[in-house]
């Protein structure tokens, strides 16, 4: 269990401040790209790119964390503001040859500052209050009893092996994704239920350093779902939180199996049970959600290494397992007839974040928007019509980016790259095609 | 002897660089910290600025002189503690990364770089625009290291085996002197002239700035040679039973300088611990037997070869092999060619790379200590170093490279340590002090001198050199505001050893009033 900043002292102490973590493809200077802009090593940290100061890059944050651990810097709002302006996307973690759990350090530092008496930042505090409120248990200020209103099927069933963890965004803001997922699960022949007492997975609390509330909802969810064999997800953030963070922070393995719906689709395609026949005649590019792709891939790799006493021989195996995970959405897209995939330059472990994560969208909206635009520019460079992804936050923030680009176009009368893109959720598309 | 950064100074910095590029934020100041890589000691800067051009640099220096505030320049910051203030008060930290221009002149085979140009960016630009040429970036430094930072440090580039230390590639500098004056060196000194002739119209002062680690002037542009980039490349490695076995055959390969030696752009080696200590000590076999079974010799030397054709490449490989075979007979030893997997070759050829980063995995932190000695003496130096490392409880990880056809060796122990362990920094300092004293007596030289150990120890012996250095420094920087502590100037700020220049006069030891420099308007 490595959840407090103190627990991570030795890991943080590995940072030599080499700054490789500021880039995407920091280890692939010869990587071929389509243009000069997208070739070799390029900027990969949304926070550093936006603010420019070293403290916003992970490399700087690791040294802020070290100073904090060594009592060289006092907790303050100023400190928290620097440390919270990071999407926890994990590009830095991909780059670090010293295998520092960069995002865990950042999250633990946020928690340590708050535990030292500094109030969470205004927007984050509000989330905390709402998720901590027994009448709400979601960051959208919606009544708890309405959480599963979108679902027409039988709820709280005990006679099934599979439960669908919907998450707050699916339950209240993007109910169409929840509905499409439910429909997709049905089409895959999965007998499942949703639970009316489900509470927020806690991801926004953990990311923003509000650990006590996180631990409370984590315990509630584990207790609630413990008698199911499998819990399935549509939300990238909830999936990552259950899969990676619950065992890490609780110190115990999960009492159920967790799977993203996309895995179920892929498994059905692989076994030949599912064949998609309806074509999707569009050129698409794929945006890897940081939570469900990069973070899970890295966790797979770290898990293999944690069980190895010879990293020299096992590192390659672990890396291969991580890379195999990155292929998951690609395998699914390949099975869609007529879909033409044109990959962006920064993909998989080196993917560039949409800009929404880690509490940034609410607290630092300008940074979130600038990051989305940077990603849209890259998506547009592929010539794709559709930007496909599978995460409610990526969908929202990238769509907001397109809106902002359109507004800028209206003012400047100049065409901006990315404004024509259509953002589509892959699970929704799959439900429409199957 | 220096003043602290006041609100008034901050206002002046803002007036010069703009609000967006000046900060005194406590967390942001801490974020530049580093203790490791080249230097363990560093203090916190009081203000960080990110100037946009030489004019802003000059105006900041004029103002810093007026207020007697120290200024430390930093490019990529990858020399760790060396790119941070060495002594209190930390003063102004000048982050040069916004100045990252690059101009390439393939006809005159030179590029002009600004301090912020990262190796990874230079590599990308050359790959896409000038694939027949290569920028001499540091061989093993991560991609965020800058071309200029490495030249200032006289580091070793990817073609160091042929072209010598990185500073030898310089064709001209644009330097903002601590007084604010801007100086151009080499043929560049003549307005409108290209940087085609390093030695310029008269005596060339370049050497004062290269190896000064930012203490003689702030370099805002450097003209640096670019090198041809043939695309027939490989890496071949030979093992040995001792350091001698890797040093002597290399000398045989290198000494003719022309022909095969000129194709061996990077020749580097070390011992098996170089592989071992890249992994956590709890998760890797610690016994050499495991590595032996993998076919790895205890010592080995790598030759990175660049050639214009496959025939040339094959010929070079054949000749190197013949030299090794002859050496084996002569020295009655075994130097087996090491099997390198194509992936290992590809990874070695990759520039810039991250090969040297993971030494912090062994425990939690590392220090590179860099020494020069005549090539043939390097085996002896490495033996002595390894013995001392073991005595102090450090794994004896040792790396060596040939500089300029085996004229000199750069010998570099990688001291892997646990930075969380109480007292560890004192222990490393003791180790550093003991080895430095001993090596200096043997005529060897630390070329990236630590301000607290190497520089004072070296200048305590090279007294006349130090006196001359201080004189030059005072001409260029009358108030000694630039990167104080570096090169042991001012002496008393870094050491208690007797000052080679003699006891400072009372009036000199405490500078109360700044000398009004002849500053640029
Ligand atoms: C993992 C690793 C591997 C490395 N491998 C190599 C290698 O293969 N070869 C090699 O030579 N080095 C190597 N280094 C050392 C280091 O990367 C180089 O010294 C580096 O190139 C320095 O460049 P920088 O831009 O980081 O300079 P910085 O660290 O920013 O600066 C270097 C020095 O120059 C001064 N300075 C910076 N900018 C200016 C300026 N504009 N004017 C005046 N002074 C200035 C600074 O104060 C500092 O003292 C390695 C380092 C690491 C961490
Ligand atoms: S976190 Fe890793 S990659 Fe980033 S600066 Fe530290 S050691 Fe380098
Ligand atoms: S997690 Fe993402 S935004 Fe945060 S420091 Fe790392 S790369 Fe930057």
């Amino acid at each position: 269990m490595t959840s407090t900043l103190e627990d991570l002292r030795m890991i943080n102490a590995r940072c030599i401040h080499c700054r490789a973590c500021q880039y995407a493809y920091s280890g692939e200077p010869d990587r071929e790209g389509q243009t000069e802009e997208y070739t070799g090593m390029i900027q990969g940290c949304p926070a550093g790119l936006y603010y420019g100061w070293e403290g916003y890059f992970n490399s700087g944050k690791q040294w802020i964390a070290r100073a904090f651990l060594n009592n060289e810097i006092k907790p303050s709002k100023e400190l928290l503001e620097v440390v919270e302006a990071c999407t926890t996307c994990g590009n830095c973690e991909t780059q670090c040859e010293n295998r520092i759990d960069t995002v865990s350090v950042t999250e633990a530092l946020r928690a340590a500052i708050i535990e030292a008496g500094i109030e969470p930042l205004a927007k984050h505090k509000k989330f905390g209050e709402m998720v901590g409120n027994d009448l709400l248990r979601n960051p959208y200020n919606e009544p708890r009893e309405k959480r599963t209103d979108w679902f027409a099927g039988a709820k709280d069933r005990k006679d099934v092996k599979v439960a669908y963890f919907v998450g707050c965004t699916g339950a209240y803001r993007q109910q169409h994704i929840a509905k499409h997922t439910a429909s997709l699960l049905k089409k895959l022949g999965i007998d499942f239920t949703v639970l009316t007492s489900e509470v927020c997975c806690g991801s926004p609390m953990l990311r923003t350093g509000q650990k006590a509330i996180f631990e409370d909802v984590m315990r509630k969810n584990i207790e609630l779902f413990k008698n199911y064999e499998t819990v399935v997800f549509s939300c990238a953030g909830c999936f990552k939180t259950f899969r990676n963070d619950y065992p890490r922070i609780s110190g115990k393995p999960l009492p159920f199996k967790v799977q993203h719906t996309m895995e179920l689709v892929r498994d059905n395609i692989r076994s030949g049970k599912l064949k998609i026949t309806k074509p999707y005649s569009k050129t698409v590019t794929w945006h890897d959600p940081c939570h469900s792709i990069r973070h899970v891939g890295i966790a797979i790799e770290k898990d293999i290494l944690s069980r190895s006493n010879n990293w020299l021989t096992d590192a390659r195996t672990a890396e291969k397992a991580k890379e195999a995970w990155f292929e998951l959405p690609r395998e699914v897209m390949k099975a869609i007839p007529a879909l033409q995939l044109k990959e962006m330059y920064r993909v998989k472990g080196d993917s560039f974040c949409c800009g929404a994560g880690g509490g940034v969208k609410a607290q630092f909206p300008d940074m979130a928007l600038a990051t989305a635009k940077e990603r849209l520019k890259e998506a547009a460079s592929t010539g794709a019509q559709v930007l496909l992804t599978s995460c409610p936050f990526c969908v929202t923030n990238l769509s907001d980016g397109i809106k902002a680009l359109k507004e800028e176009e209206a003012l400047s009368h100049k065409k901006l790259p990315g404004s024509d893109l259509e953002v589509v959720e892959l699970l929704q598309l799959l439900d429409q095609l199957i | 002897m220096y003043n602290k950064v006041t609100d008034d100074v901050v206002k002046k910095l803002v007036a010069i660089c703009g609000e967006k590029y000046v900060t005194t934020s406590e967390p942001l100041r801490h974020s530049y910290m580093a203790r490791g890589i080249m230097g363990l000691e560093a203090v916190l800067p009081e203000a960080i600025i990110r100037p946009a051009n030489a004019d802003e640099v000059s105006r900041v220096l004029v103002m810093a002189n007026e207020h007697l505030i120290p200024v430390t320049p930093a490019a990529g910051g990858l020399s760790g503690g060396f790119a941070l203030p060495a002594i209190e008060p930390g003063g102004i930290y000048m982050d040069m990364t916004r100045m990252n221009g690059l101009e390439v002149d393939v006809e005159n085979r030179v590029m002009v770089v600004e301090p912020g140009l990262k190796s990874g960016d230079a590599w990308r630009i050359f790959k896409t625009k000038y694939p027949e040429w290569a920028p001499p970036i540091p061989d093993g430094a991560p991609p965020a290291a800058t071309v200029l930072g490495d030249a200032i440090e006289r580091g070793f580039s990817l073609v160091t085996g042929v072209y010598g230390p990185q500073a030898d590639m310089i064709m001209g500098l644009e330097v903002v002197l601590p007084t604010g004056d801007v100086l151009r060196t080499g043929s560049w000194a003549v307005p409108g002239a290209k940087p085609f002739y390093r030695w310029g119209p008269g005596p060339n002062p370049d050497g004062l700035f290269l190896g000064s680690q930012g203490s003689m002037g702030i370099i805002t542009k450097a003209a640096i040679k670019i090198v041809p980039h043939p695309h027939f490349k490989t890496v071949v490695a030979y093992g040995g039973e001792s350091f001698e076995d890797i040093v002597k055959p290399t000398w045989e390969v290198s000494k003719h300088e022309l022909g095969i030696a000129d194709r061996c752009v990077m020749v580097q080696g070390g011992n098996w611990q170089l592989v071992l200590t890249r992994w956590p000590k709890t998760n890797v076999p610690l016994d050499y037997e495991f590595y032996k079974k993998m076919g790895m010799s205890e010592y080995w030397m790598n030759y990175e070869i660049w050639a214009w054709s496959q025939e040339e490449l094959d010929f070079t490989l054949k000749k190197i092999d013949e030299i090794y075979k002859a050496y084996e007979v002569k020295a009655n030893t075994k130097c087996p060619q090491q099997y390198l997997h194509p992936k290992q070759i590809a990874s070695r050829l990759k520039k810039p790379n991250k090969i040297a980063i993971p030494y912090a995995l062994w425990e939690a932190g590392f220090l590179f200590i860099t020494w020069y000695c005549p090539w043939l003496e390097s085996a002896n130096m490495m033996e002595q170093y390894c013995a001392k490392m073991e005595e102090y409880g450090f794994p004896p990880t040792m790396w060596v490279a040939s500089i300029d056809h085996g004229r000199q060796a750069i010998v570099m122990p990688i001291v892997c340590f646990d930075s969380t362990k109480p007292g560890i920094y004192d222990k490393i300092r003791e180790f550093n002090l003991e080895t430095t004293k001993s090596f200096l007596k043997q005529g060897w030289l630390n070329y990236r001198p630590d301000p607290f150990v190497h520089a004072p120890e070296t200048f305590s012996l090279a007294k006349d050199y130090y006196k001359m250095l201080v004189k030059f420094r005072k001409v260029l920087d009358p108030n000694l505001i630039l990167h104080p502590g570096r090169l042991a100037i001012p002496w008393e700020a870094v050491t208690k050893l007797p000052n080679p220049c003699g006891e400072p006069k009372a009036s000199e030891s405490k500078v109360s009033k700044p000398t009004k420099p002849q500053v640029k308007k």
Side-chain angles (χ1 to χ4, degrees), chain A residues 288-307:
Chain A
D288 289 293
C290 303
H291 279 125
S292 57
I293 302 298
R294 175 161 41 220
H295 281 296
V296 172
I298 291 175
I300 290 171
E301 183 181 38
K302 287 196 170 158
D303 185 47
I304 295 173
L305 290 178
S306 73
R307 284 180 274 112

Side-chain angles (χ1 to χ4, degrees), chain B residues 176-431:
Chain B
V176 181
L177 299 178
T179 51
D181 297 300
V182 180
L183 168 75
R184 277 198 173 196
T185 68
S187 51
W188 240 4
V190 178
K194 288 179 181 151
F196 64 93
Y197 180 56
R198 178 178 189 173
W199 303 103
N204 178 12
D206 274 6
L208 283 174
F209 305 102
L210 302 167
S212 83
Q213 266 88 19
S215 65
M216 292 283 186
I218 296 189
I219 302 174
T220 43
K221 275 195 174 91
I224 300 181
K225 287 179 196 171
I226 56 174
V227 299
H229 194 176
H231 298 292
F232 290 87
K233 294 186 191 179
T234 195
V235 176
V236 64
Y238 285 85
E241 294 178 349
S242 63
F243 280 123
E244 195 93 314
D245 280 353
I246 63 170
V247 167
K248 284 204 167 148
T250 301
W251 188 74
E252 297 290 345
V253 171
S254 308
K255 69 180 178 189
H256 301 291
E257 301 206 7
L258 302 176
I260 60 165
D262 259 351
R263 287 175 213 125
C264 297
V265 289
M266 185 70 197
V267 182
Q268 57 181 314
N271 54 11
W272 68 279
Q273 284 88 351
L274 269 176
V275 176
L276 171 78
T277 49
R278 294 178 80 250
W279 303 97
K281 69 178 189 184
T282 47
N283 303 74
V284 70
L286 301 176
D287 193 345
Y288 171 63
E289 282 308 303
F290 171 82
Y291 302 87
K292 196 173 169 186
K293 274 192 206 132
M294 283 170 66
M296 191 189 294
S297 287
E298 265 187 271
Y299 306 88
W300 38 263
M301 190 66 82
N302 269 346
Y303 296 79
E304 179 172 337
I305 305 162
W306 289 10
W308 292 109
S309 64
Q310 191 59 45
E311 290 81 355
E312 209 176 275
L313 199 62
D314 293 342
F315 177 77
T316 309
L317 290 171
K318 188 169 148 266
K319 285 291 163 194
I320 293 175
D321 198 59
E322 282 171 13
I323 288 170
Y324 267 90
K325 296 259 160 59
Y327 172 79
E328 278 183 322
V329 174
K330 198 167 116 194
N332 189 23
T333 185
K334 290 260 175 303
C335 296
Q337 190 178 335
Q338 307 285 286
Y339 170 73
L340 295 177
H341 188 278
K343 278 202 173 130
Q344 282 173 293
I345 295 181
S347 131
R348 217 21 273 166
L349 290 174
K350 216 193 270 181
K351 308 288 157 68
N353 58 53
K354 303 200 285 186
I355 288 175
I357 297 175
Y359 287 101
L361 269 181
W362 178 256
E363 286 190 305
F366 67 77
L367 182 71
F368 294 147
I369 311 178
T370 46
W371 286 80
Y372 269 166
C373 69
W375 179 257
L376 284 171
E377 292 172 33
S378 63
N380 180 11
M381 185 186 211
M382 290 190 278
E383 295 284 359
Q384 292 185 37
Y385 238 143
C386 285
K388 270 291 156 224
M389 288 168 93
E390 289 194 285
E391 196 182 307
Y392 275 82
F394 301 117
T397 305
M398 192 56 61
W399 180 89
V400 65
S402 144
I403 306 284
D404 183 3
H405 309 89
R407 280 179 188 274
Q408 307 106 36
I410 165 179
V411 168
M412 189 177 84
I414 304 179
V415 183
C416 299
F417 60 93
D418 173 0
S419 57
T420 64
K421 219 177 182 168
I424 187 69
Y425 290 102
D426 292 337
K427 185 171 163 182
I428 297 171
R429 196 176 158 138
E430 232 173 87
F431 161 77

Side-chain angles (χ1 to χ4, degrees), chain A residues 16 18, chain B residues 37-38 72-80 82-84 96 115 138-142 144-150 152-157 212-215 217-220 356-357 366 368 399 447-448 483 486:
Chain A
I16 56 155
C18 73
Chain B
I37 310 178
M38 299 292 170
T72 304
L78 261 74
S79 59
F82 279 15
L84 282 152
M96 308 292 289
D139 180 70
T146 68
V147 182
L148 183 53
D150 200 45
I152 291 168
E153 294 218 308
R154 303 174 301 184
F156 42 101
S157 77
S212 83
Q213 266 88 19
S215 65
I218 296 189
I219 302 174
T220 43
I357 297 175
F366 67 77
F368 294 147
W399 180 89
Y447 81 99
R448 278 171 165 145
H483 212 343
R486 277 262 136 234

Side-chain angles (χ1 to χ4, degrees), chain A residues 377-398:
Chain A
K377 188 172 80 174
E378 186 175 359
S381 77
T382 66
Q385 306 157 271
V386 170
L387 175 53
L388 211 54
T389 189
S390 187
C391 164
F393 305 106
C394 299
V395 168
T396 307
N397 203 42
L398 292 168

Side-chain angles (χ1 to χ4, degrees), chain A residues 232-258:
Chain A
V232 297
F233 297 81
S234 54
C235 172
C238 304
F239 174 58
K240 184 254 173 177
T241 305
F242 268 68
R243 190 196 177 287
N244 294 0
D245 299 316
Y246 280 12
R248 179 172 65 89
I249 294 191
S250 68
K252 288 184 210 131
L254 289 173
F256 40 76
K257 189 175 159 190
V258 285

